[in-house]
Amino acid sequence: ARLRAPGERAFAQLKQWRIFRKTRCSTNRIGTIVQAIHTLLIRENRG
């Protein structure tokens, strides 16, 4: 659960921003974008 929680929080934040609504690129690119945003959110939360 400790490993899963940051990912779930990051994905909830992404859903709240609604960035996936009009995304028109390949799924590989979306995955890369999600990983980058996830990394930034984790860094931001750690201070």
Side-chain angles (χ1 to χ4, degrees), residues 28-47:
N28 292 336
R29 181 168 284 175
I30 291 172
T32 303
I33 292 168
V34 169
Q35 286 176 344
I37 293 172
H38 181 276
T39 301
L40 292 172
L41 287 172
I42 288 174
R43 288 290 196 186
E44 181 180 300
N45 289 336
R46 287 186 183 170

Side-chain angles (χ1 to χ4, degrees), residues 14-32:
L14 292 174
K15 285 170 48 177
Q16 188 177 20
W17 290 343
R18 299 181 181 176
I19 65 170
F20 297 122
R21 296 260 170 132
K22 295 184 179 180
T23 305
R24 297 180 191 260
C25 58
S26 72
T27 55
N28 292 336
R29 181 168 284 175
I30 291 172
T32 303

